[in-house]
Protein backbone atom coordinates (compact mmCIF):
# COMPACT_ATOMS: atom_id res chain seq x y z
CA UNK A 1 0.00 0.00 0.00
CA UNK A 2 1.44 3.37 -0.94
CA UNK A 3 1.77 5.89 1.83
CA UNK A 4 2.64 9.59 1.82
CA UNK A 5 4.24 11.14 4.83
CA UNK A 6 7.23 13.00 6.24
CA UNK A 7 10.56 11.40 7.14
CA UNK A 8 14.00 12.20 8.48
CA UNK A 9 16.46 10.60 6.05
CA UNK A 10 19.45 10.79 8.44
CA UNK A 11 20.20 11.59 12.07
CA UNK A 12 19.47 15.15 13.13
CA UNK A 13 18.25 16.13 9.67
CA UNK A 14 15.08 18.11 8.94
CA UNK A 15 11.97 16.10 8.07
CA UNK A 16 10.84 16.19 4.44
CA UNK A 17 8.08 14.73 2.23
CA UNK A 18 8.52 10.97 1.78
CA UNK A 19 6.59 8.35 -0.17
CA UNK A 20 6.89 4.69 0.87
CA UNK A 21 5.16 1.32 0.90
CA UNK A 22 3.29 -0.26 3.80
CA UNK A 23 2.80 -4.02 3.96
CA UNK A 24 -0.19 -5.61 2.21
CA UNK A 25 -3.12 -6.38 4.46
CA UNK A 26 -2.64 -9.70 6.32
CA UNK A 27 -5.57 -11.73 7.65
CA UNK A 28 -5.42 -10.06 11.09
CA UNK A 29 -4.52 -6.60 9.79
CA UNK A 30 -6.59 -3.46 9.61
CA UNK A 31 -5.86 -0.61 7.17
CA UNK A 32 -6.80 2.92 8.09
CA UNK A 33 -6.70 6.46 6.83
CA UNK A 34 -4.95 8.54 9.45
CA UNK A 35 -6.87 11.66 10.47
CA UNK A 36 -4.46 13.17 13.00
CA UNK A 37 -0.97 12.34 14.28
CA UNK A 38 0.55 13.88 17.39
CA UNK A 39 4.15 15.04 17.81
CA UNK A 40 5.70 13.53 20.95
CA UNK A 41 9.01 14.71 22.38
CA UNK A 42 10.18 11.09 22.00
CA UNK A 43 9.94 11.60 18.20
CA UNK A 44 12.40 14.47 18.53
CA UNK A 45 14.76 12.52 20.82
CA UNK A 46 14.91 9.73 18.21
CA UNK A 47 15.24 11.90 15.07
CA UNK A 48 18.06 13.76 16.83
CA UNK A 49 19.61 10.49 18.08
CA UNK A 50 19.55 11.66 21.69
CA UNK A 51 18.96 8.06 22.85
CA UNK A 52 21.74 6.54 20.73
CA UNK A 53 21.73 5.67 17.05
CA UNK A 54 18.39 5.48 15.22
CA UNK A 55 17.14 3.72 12.10
CA UNK A 56 16.69 5.82 8.92
CA UNK A 57 14.74 6.71 6.91
CA UNK A 58 12.47 7.41 9.87
CA UNK A 59 8.79 8.29 9.64
CA UNK A 60 8.15 9.16 13.30
CA UNK A 61 4.79 9.32 15.02
CA UNK A 62 3.08 7.14 17.61
CA UNK A 63 -0.03 9.12 18.46
CA UNK A 64 -2.40 8.05 15.71
CA UNK A 65 -6.13 8.33 15.26
CA UNK A 66 -7.86 7.32 12.04
CA UNK A 67 -10.75 5.53 10.41
CA UNK A 68 -10.69 1.90 9.25
CA UNK A 69 -10.74 1.56 5.44
CA UNK A 70 -10.37 -2.22 5.04
CA UNK A 71 -9.94 -5.33 7.18
CA UNK A 72 -8.27 -8.70 6.72
CA UNK A 73 -10.31 -11.91 6.48
CA UNK A 74 -9.70 -12.89 10.12
CA UNK A 75 -10.39 -9.51 11.74
CA UNK A 76 -13.14 -9.52 14.37
CA UNK A 77 -12.38 -6.47 16.52
CA UNK A 78 -12.91 -3.71 13.91
CA UNK A 79 -15.18 -3.02 10.96
CA UNK A 80 -14.78 -0.60 8.07
CA UNK A 81 -15.66 2.98 8.98
CA UNK A 82 -14.88 2.69 12.71
CA UNK A 83 -12.53 5.02 14.52
CA UNK A 84 -9.22 3.44 15.56
CA UNK A 85 -6.27 4.48 17.71
CA UNK A 86 -2.62 3.37 17.56
CA UNK A 87 0.06 4.18 20.11
CA UNK A 88 3.72 3.54 20.83
CA UNK A 89 3.95 -0.14 19.87
CA UNK A 90 2.52 -2.25 17.06
CA UNK A 91 3.48 -5.74 18.20
CA UNK A 92 5.14 -7.80 20.95
CA UNK A 93 5.93 -11.50 21.52
CA UNK A 94 2.37 -12.29 22.71
CA UNK A 95 3.53 -15.20 24.90
CA UNK A 96 5.72 -13.89 27.73
CA UNK A 97 4.36 -13.30 31.22
CA UNK A 98 3.91 -9.57 30.65
CA UNK A 99 2.26 -9.90 27.24
CA UNK A 100 -0.18 -12.41 28.73
CA UNK A 101 -0.97 -9.90 31.49
CA UNK A 102 -1.75 -7.22 28.88
CA UNK A 103 1.25 -5.09 29.77
CA UNK A 104 2.82 -5.53 26.35
CA UNK A 105 4.92 -2.38 26.77
CA UNK A 106 7.06 -4.45 29.16
CA UNK A 107 7.27 -7.49 26.82
CA UNK A 108 10.17 -9.61 28.05
CA UNK A 109 11.25 -10.16 24.46
CA UNK A 110 10.94 -6.48 23.60
CA UNK A 111 7.89 -4.65 22.29
CA UNK A 112 7.96 -3.62 18.64
CA UNK A 113 7.86 0.17 18.46
CA UNK A 114 5.67 1.99 15.97
CA UNK A 115 8.81 3.33 14.23
CA UNK A 116 12.62 3.34 14.55
CA UNK A 117 12.67 -0.46 14.46
CA UNK A 118 11.81 -3.39 12.16
CA UNK A 119 8.38 -5.01 11.97
CA UNK A 120 8.44 -8.34 13.80
CA UNK A 121 7.25 -10.52 10.92
CA UNK A 122 8.14 -8.76 7.68
CA UNK A 123 11.49 -7.38 8.94
CA UNK A 124 10.63 -4.21 7.01
CA UNK A 125 11.37 -0.87 8.63
CA UNK A 126 8.34 0.13 10.72
CA UNK A 127 7.12 3.54 9.57
CA UNK A 128 5.12 5.62 12.03
CA UNK A 129 2.22 8.00 12.04
CA UNK A 130 3.44 11.14 10.24
CA UNK A 131 1.62 9.81 7.17
CA UNK A 132 -1.78 9.51 5.54
CA UNK A 133 -2.43 5.80 6.22
CA UNK A 134 -1.36 2.81 8.32
CA UNK A 135 -1.61 -1.00 8.52
CA UNK A 136 -1.74 -2.67 11.94
CA UNK A 137 -2.54 -6.02 13.52
CA UNK A 138 -5.97 -5.59 15.13
CA UNK A 139 -4.67 -6.84 18.49
CA UNK A 140 -2.46 -3.74 18.85
CA UNK A 141 -5.08 -1.09 18.07
CA UNK A 142 -7.93 0.27 20.18
CA UNK A 143 -11.40 1.71 19.75
CA UNK A 144 -11.84 5.48 19.99
CA UNK A 145 -15.05 6.95 21.47
CA UNK A 146 -17.12 8.79 18.84
CA UNK A 147 -17.98 11.75 21.09
CA UNK A 148 -14.56 13.45 21.30
CA UNK A 149 -12.85 16.00 18.98
CA UNK A 150 -10.42 13.76 17.12
CA UNK A 151 -7.49 16.17 16.91
CA UNK A 152 -7.43 16.13 20.71
CA UNK A 153 -7.66 12.33 20.80
CA UNK A 154 -4.42 11.59 18.90
CA UNK A 155 -2.14 12.66 21.82
CA UNK A 156 -4.01 10.36 24.19
CA UNK A 157 -2.32 7.45 22.43
CA UNK A 158 1.05 8.28 24.02
CA UNK A 159 0.91 11.41 26.20
CA UNK A 160 -2.46 10.37 27.63
CA UNK A 161 -1.74 6.75 28.51
CA UNK A 162 1.74 7.58 29.81
CA UNK A 163 0.25 9.70 32.58
CA UNK A 164 -2.98 7.76 33.11
CA UNK A 165 -1.10 4.53 33.81
CA UNK A 166 1.10 5.73 36.72
CA UNK A 167 -1.73 7.79 38.21
CA UNK A 168 -3.81 4.60 38.38
CA UNK A 169 -0.91 2.39 39.46
CA UNK A 170 0.03 4.68 42.39
CA UNK A 171 -3.66 5.29 43.16
CA UNK A 172 -4.01 9.03 42.68
CA UNK A 173 -7.37 10.09 44.02
CA UNK A 174 -9.16 12.01 46.77
CA UNK A 175 -6.90 12.89 49.68
CA UNK A 176 -3.70 12.47 47.65
CA UNK A 177 -1.38 15.34 46.78
CA UNK A 178 -0.01 14.82 43.28
CA UNK A 179 2.59 17.01 41.57
CA UNK A 180 3.23 17.01 37.84
CA UNK A 181 6.67 18.22 36.78
CA UNK A 182 6.66 19.94 33.36
CA UNK A 183 3.53 21.25 31.66
CA UNK A 184 4.11 19.94 28.14
CA UNK A 185 2.34 17.28 26.10
CA UNK A 186 2.58 14.61 28.80
CA UNK A 187 2.31 16.92 31.79
CA UNK A 188 -0.91 18.64 30.73
CA UNK A 189 -2.58 15.25 30.34
CA UNK A 190 -1.37 14.36 33.83
CA UNK A 191 -3.05 17.46 35.24
CA UNK A 192 -6.35 16.63 33.55
CA UNK A 193 -6.33 12.98 34.64
CA UNK A 194 -5.19 13.63 38.21
CA UNK A 195 -7.90 16.28 38.61
CA UNK A 196 -10.55 13.96 37.12
CA UNK A 197 -9.47 11.23 39.56
CA UNK A 198 -10.05 13.63 42.45
CA UNK A 199 -6.48 14.26 43.58
CA UNK A 200 -5.09 17.62 44.71
CA UNK A 201 -2.92 18.67 41.74
CA UNK A 202 0.16 20.89 41.75
CA UNK A 203 2.15 21.77 38.64
CA UNK A 204 5.91 22.22 39.05
CA UNK A 205 6.97 24.24 36.01
CA UNK A 206 9.87 26.39 34.87
CA UNK A 207 7.54 28.53 32.69
CA UNK A 208 5.65 31.13 34.80
CA UNK A 209 3.49 32.10 31.82
CA UNK A 210 1.76 28.69 31.90
CA UNK A 211 0.05 29.34 35.26
CA UNK A 212 -3.36 30.33 33.93
CA UNK A 213 -3.49 27.42 31.50
CA UNK A 214 -2.56 24.96 34.25
CA UNK A 215 -5.35 26.20 36.50
CA UNK A 216 -7.84 25.98 33.61
CA UNK A 217 -6.81 22.35 33.08
CA UNK A 218 -7.70 21.55 36.69
CA UNK A 219 -4.54 22.25 38.68
CA UNK A 220 -5.05 23.56 42.22
CA UNK A 221 -1.57 25.05 42.55
CA UNK A 222 1.18 26.14 40.19
CA UNK A 223 4.75 26.50 41.46
CA UNK A 224 7.96 27.70 39.86
CA UNK A 225 10.71 26.58 42.22
CA UNK A 226 13.95 28.48 41.73
CA UNK A 227 15.81 28.84 45.00
CA UNK A 228 16.75 26.45 47.81
CA UNK A 229 14.22 28.36 49.95
CA UNK A 230 11.48 27.62 47.40
CA UNK A 231 12.28 23.91 47.58
CA UNK A 232 12.51 23.96 51.39
CA UNK A 233 9.03 25.51 51.62
CA UNK A 234 7.51 22.42 49.94
CA UNK A 235 9.60 19.71 51.57
CA UNK A 236 7.74 16.41 52.18
CA UNK A 237 4.52 17.77 50.63
CA UNK A 238 3.52 15.29 47.92
CA UNK A 239 2.34 11.68 47.93
CA UNK A 240 3.20 11.28 44.27
CA UNK A 241 5.35 13.27 41.85
CA UNK A 242 5.34 12.45 38.14
CA UNK A 243 8.39 13.87 36.35
CA UNK A 244 7.67 14.48 32.66
CA UNK A 245 10.58 16.87 32.07
CA UNK A 246 12.44 16.10 28.83
CA UNK A 247 15.66 17.86 29.92
CA UNK A 248 18.36 17.01 32.46
CA UNK A 249 17.72 18.37 35.94
CA UNK A 250 18.68 17.82 39.56
CA UNK A 251 16.16 15.14 40.55
CA UNK A 252 17.35 14.99 44.15
CA UNK A 253 15.85 18.41 44.89
CA UNK A 254 12.47 17.07 43.79
CA UNK A 255 12.83 13.83 45.78
CA UNK A 256 12.93 15.95 48.90
CA UNK A 257 9.42 17.20 48.09
CA UNK A 258 8.04 13.64 48.46
CA UNK A 259 6.25 12.69 51.70
CA UNK A 260 7.05 9.65 53.78
CA UNK A 261 6.24 6.48 51.78
CA UNK A 262 5.60 8.61 48.71
CA UNK A 263 6.94 8.02 45.23
CA UNK A 264 8.65 10.05 42.53
CA UNK A 265 8.05 8.47 39.13
CA UNK A 266 10.44 9.11 36.25
CA UNK A 267 8.62 9.46 32.95
CA UNK A 268 10.68 12.00 30.99
CA UNK A 269 13.64 10.39 29.26
CA UNK A 270 16.58 12.80 28.96
CA UNK A 271 19.81 11.22 27.77
CA UNK A 272 22.15 11.76 30.74
CA UNK A 273 22.19 9.49 33.83
CA UNK A 274 20.90 10.98 37.08
CA UNK A 275 22.68 11.15 40.39
CA UNK A 276 21.01 10.85 43.80
CA UNK A 277 22.29 10.48 47.32
CA UNK A 278 20.95 7.47 49.26
CA UNK A 279 19.92 9.81 52.06
CA UNK A 280 17.23 11.45 49.98
CA UNK A 281 15.38 8.14 49.78
CA UNK A 282 16.23 6.79 53.22
CA UNK A 283 15.24 9.91 55.14
CA UNK A 284 11.53 9.53 54.32
CA UNK A 285 11.24 5.89 53.17
CA UNK A 286 10.64 7.27 49.68
CA UNK A 287 10.53 5.36 46.40
CA UNK A 288 12.00 6.38 43.09
CA UNK A 289 10.22 4.60 40.24
CA UNK A 290 9.74 4.64 36.48
CA UNK A 291 6.78 4.08 34.21
CA UNK A 292 6.43 3.51 30.48
CA UNK A 293 3.24 4.14 28.47
CA UNK A 294 0.54 1.48 29.10
CA UNK A 295 -0.64 -1.86 27.69
CA UNK A 296 -3.49 -2.43 25.25
CA UNK A 297 -6.23 -3.12 27.88
CA UNK A 298 -5.25 0.01 29.81
CA UNK A 299 -5.16 2.08 26.60
CA UNK A 300 -8.76 1.07 25.97
CA UNK A 301 -9.69 1.80 29.59
CA UNK A 302 -8.08 5.26 29.31
CA UNK A 303 -9.93 6.10 26.07
CA UNK A 304 -13.23 5.00 27.61
CA UNK A 305 -12.46 7.16 30.66
CA UNK A 306 -11.76 10.11 28.32
CA UNK A 307 -15.03 9.54 26.49
CA UNK A 308 -16.92 9.49 29.77
CA UNK A 309 -15.18 12.53 31.28
CA UNK A 310 -14.78 14.50 28.01
CA UNK A 311 -11.00 14.59 28.35
CA UNK A 312 -8.81 15.39 25.34
CA UNK A 313 -5.46 17.04 24.78
CA UNK A 314 -5.16 20.79 24.15
CA UNK A 315 -3.66 20.94 20.68
CA UNK A 316 -2.29 23.16 17.94
CA UNK A 317 -3.22 21.56 14.62
CA UNK A 318 -0.51 22.03 11.98
CA UNK A 319 0.21 21.12 8.38
CA UNK A 320 3.06 18.69 7.68
CA UNK A 321 5.27 21.48 6.32
CA UNK A 322 5.35 22.98 9.85
CA UNK A 323 6.80 19.83 11.52
CA UNK A 324 10.38 21.10 11.76
CA UNK A 325 9.31 24.39 13.32
CA UNK A 326 7.03 22.46 15.69
CA UNK A 327 10.06 20.43 16.82
CA UNK A 328 12.02 23.57 17.66
CA UNK A 329 9.08 25.10 19.49
CA UNK A 330 8.52 21.88 21.48
CA UNK A 331 12.15 21.80 22.59
CA UNK A 332 11.79 25.45 23.64
CA UNK A 333 8.74 24.48 25.83
CA UNK A 334 6.62 26.62 23.49
CA UNK A 335 3.76 24.24 22.78
CA UNK A 336 0.10 24.55 23.80
CA UNK A 337 0.13 21.72 24.62
CA UNK A 338 0.63 19.25 21.79
CA UNK A 339 1.29 19.73 18.09
CA UNK A 340 -0.98 17.53 15.99
CA UNK A 341 -0.55 17.06 12.24
CA UNK A 342 -3.61 17.18 9.97
CA UNK A 343 -3.05 14.02 7.93
CA UNK A 344 -5.33 15.17 5.11
CA UNK A 345 -2.56 17.61 4.12
CA UNK A 346 0.20 15.13 3.12
P1 LIG B 1 7.25 18.31 25.96
O1 LIG B 1 5.89 18.53 25.42
O2 LIG B 1 8.40 18.95 25.32
O3 LIG B 1 7.19 18.69 27.52
C1 LIG B 1 8.31 18.66 28.35
C2 LIG B 1 8.17 19.75 29.41
O4 LIG B 1 9.32 19.68 30.25
C3 LIG B 1 8.20 21.16 28.88
O5 LIG B 1 6.97 21.62 28.39
C4 LIG B 1 8.66 21.94 30.08
O6 LIG B 1 7.58 22.21 30.96
C5 LIG B 1 9.62 20.96 30.76
N1 LIG B 1 11.00 21.29 30.41
C6 LIG B 1 11.58 21.28 29.18
N2 LIG B 1 12.85 21.68 29.23
C7 LIG B 1 13.09 21.98 30.53
C8 LIG B 1 14.23 22.45 31.23
N3 LIG B 1 15.37 22.72 30.59
N4 LIG B 1 14.12 22.59 32.57
C9 LIG B 1 12.97 22.33 33.21
N5 LIG B 1 11.87 21.90 32.59
C10 LIG B 1 11.92 21.73 31.28
O7 LIG B 1 7.60 16.75 25.97
P2 LIG B 1 6.63 15.48 26.13
O8 LIG B 1 6.22 15.02 24.79
O9 LIG B 1 5.63 15.79 27.17
O10 LIG B 1 7.67 14.39 26.66
C11 LIG B 1 8.34 14.58 27.89
C12 LIG B 1 9.39 13.51 28.11
O11 LIG B 1 8.76 12.26 28.33
C13 LIG B 1 10.33 13.29 26.93
O12 LIG B 1 11.63 13.05 27.42
C14 LIG B 1 9.76 12.05 26.27
O13 LIG B 1 10.72 11.33 25.53
C15 LIG B 1 9.33 11.27 27.48
N6 LIG B 1 8.30 10.25 27.23
C16 LIG B 1 8.30 9.18 28.05
C17 LIG B 1 7.32 8.22 27.92
C18 LIG B 1 7.27 7.06 28.85
O14 LIG B 1 6.56 6.09 28.54
N7 LIG B 1 7.95 7.09 29.97
C19 LIG B 1 6.34 8.35 26.93
C20 LIG B 1 6.36 9.47 26.13
C21 LIG B 1 7.34 10.43 26.29
P3 LIG B 1 7.47 23.62 31.76
O15 LIG B 1 7.55 24.66 30.69
O16 LIG B 1 6.15 23.55 32.42
O17 LIG B 1 8.60 23.65 32.72
ZN1 LIG C 1 5.40 9.42 22.82
ZN1 LIG D 1 6.05 -10.54 25.34
Amino acid sequence: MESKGYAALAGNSALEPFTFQRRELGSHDVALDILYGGICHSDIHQVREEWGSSLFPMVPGHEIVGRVTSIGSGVSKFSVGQLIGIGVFIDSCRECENCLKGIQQYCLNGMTGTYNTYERNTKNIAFGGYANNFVIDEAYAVHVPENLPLEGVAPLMCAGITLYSPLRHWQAGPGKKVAIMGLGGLGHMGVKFAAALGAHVTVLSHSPKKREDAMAMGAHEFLVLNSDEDFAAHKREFDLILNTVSADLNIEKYLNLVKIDGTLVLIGLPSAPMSIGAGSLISSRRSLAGSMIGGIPELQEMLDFCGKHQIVSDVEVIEPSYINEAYDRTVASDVKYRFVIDASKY
Side-chain angles (χ1 to χ4, degrees):
M1 190 168 88
E2 187 172 278
S3 189
K4 279 196 301 188
Y6 258 57
L9 301 183
N12 224 349
S13 63
L15 280 82
E16 55 184 87
F18 183 67
T19 301
F20 58 98
Q21 295 293 318
R22 300 227 185 245
R23 68 170 186 259
E24 292 305 318
L25 209 62
S27 58
H28 291 285
D29 283 341
V30 172
L32 53 133
D33 280 342
I34 297 180
L35 297 169
Y36 295 100
I39 294 181
C40 177
H41 206 119
S42 301
D43 303 342
I44 305 173
H45 287 311
Q46 291 173 88
V47 166
R48 299 186 176 175
E49 300 197 295
E50 290 166 359
W51 294 342
S53 58
S54 297
L55 184 61
F56 296 96
M58 184 197 296
V59 177
H62 57 209
E63 294 186 333
I64 299 166
V65 63
R67 233 175 241 286
V68 175
T69 52
S70 54
I71 58 171
S73 57
V75 167
S76 56
K77 186 169 159 185
F78 292 97
S79 51
V80 171
Q82 281 184 331
L83 288 173
I84 180 170
I86 299 166
V88 177
F89 56 92
I90 53 168
D91 209 344
S92 65
C93 86
R94 304 168 193 233
E95 55 192 29
C96 74
E97 196 183 327
N98 291 346
C99 282
L100 294 176
K101 279 188 196 153
I103 47 174
Q104 299 90 345
Q105 74 274 33
Y106 302 120
C107 173
L108 297 175
N109 298 302
M111 68 173 185
T112 305
T114 306
Y115 65 86
N116 192 19
T117 187
Y118 294 97
E119 290 184 347
R120 232 173 173 94
N121 296 330
T122 66
K123 310 291 179 216
N124 296 333
I125 292 184
F127 291 121
Y130 295 4
N132 62 344
N133 59 28
F134 207 91
V135 175
I136 181 132
D137 186 307
E138 61 170 340
Y140 290 82
V142 288
H143 290 282
V144 171
E146 287 278 353
N147 65 326
L148 298 172
L150 295 177
E151 62 275 20
V153 166
L156 301 176
M157 300 307 302
C158 174
I161 186 64
T162 300
L163 274 286
Y164 181 83
S165 184
L167 286 167
R168 298 279 292 159
H169 183 79
W170 279 279
Q171 295 164 352
K176 292 275 181 77
K177 287 197 92 174
V178 174
I180 307 285
M181 292 170 60
L183 195 70
L186 268 58
H188 92 290
M189 290 312 308
V191 172
K192 292 184 182 208
F193 284 133
L197 290 167
H200 182 278
V201 188
T202 301
V203 172
L204 305 177
S205 172
H206 84 311
S207 305
K209 62 174 190 241
K210 294 183 181 175
R211 173 185 298 273
E212 233 173 88
D213 290 347
M215 304 313 261
M217 288 168 197
H220 303 96
E221 285 180 70
F222 180 93
L223 302 174
V224 178
L225 305 179
N226 289 317
S227 63
D228 288 347
E229 292 72 37
D230 291 345
F231 278 90
H234 298 279
K235 207 172 167 186
R236 300 200 174 98
E237 185 167 321
F238 302 103
D239 298 286
L240 179 64
I241 301 184
L242 304 182
N243 171 24
T244 76
V245 172
S246 51
D248 298 313
L249 46 71
N250 181 345
I251 201 68
E252 197 165 68
K253 285 189 174 182
Y254 292 89
L255 263 178
N256 289 321
L257 307 182
V258 177
K259 252 186 208 170
I260 184 160
D261 291 334
T263 304
L264 190 155
V265 185
L266 301 178
I267 294 169
L269 251 169
S271 46
M274 294 173 178
S275 156
I276 58 155
S280 56
L281 291 176
I282 290 170
S283 61
S284 280
R285 202 163 58 189
R286 300 177 174 109
S287 300
L288 178 62
S291 183
M292 185 169 70
I293 44 175
I296 296 295
E298 198 171 39
L299 255 178
Q300 191 62 63
E301 179 191 311
M302 182 260 326
L303 285 169
D304 296 345
F305 183 89
C306 289
K308 192 168 157 209
H309 295 268
Q310 300 280 330
I311 293 176
V312 286
S313 170
D314 294 358
V315 299
E316 263 186 72
V317 178
I318 62 166
E319 299 208 2
S321 56
Y322 192 77
I323 290 172
N324 295 302
E325 208 166 326
Y327 273 26
D328 291 338
R329 283 187 49 197
T330 299
V331 172
S333 305
D334 176 24
V335 48
K336 289 186 153 193
Y337 276 82
R338 198 59 142 185
F339 287 109
V340 170
I341 307 159
D342 178 350
S344 70
K345 301 286 168 59
Y346 285 107

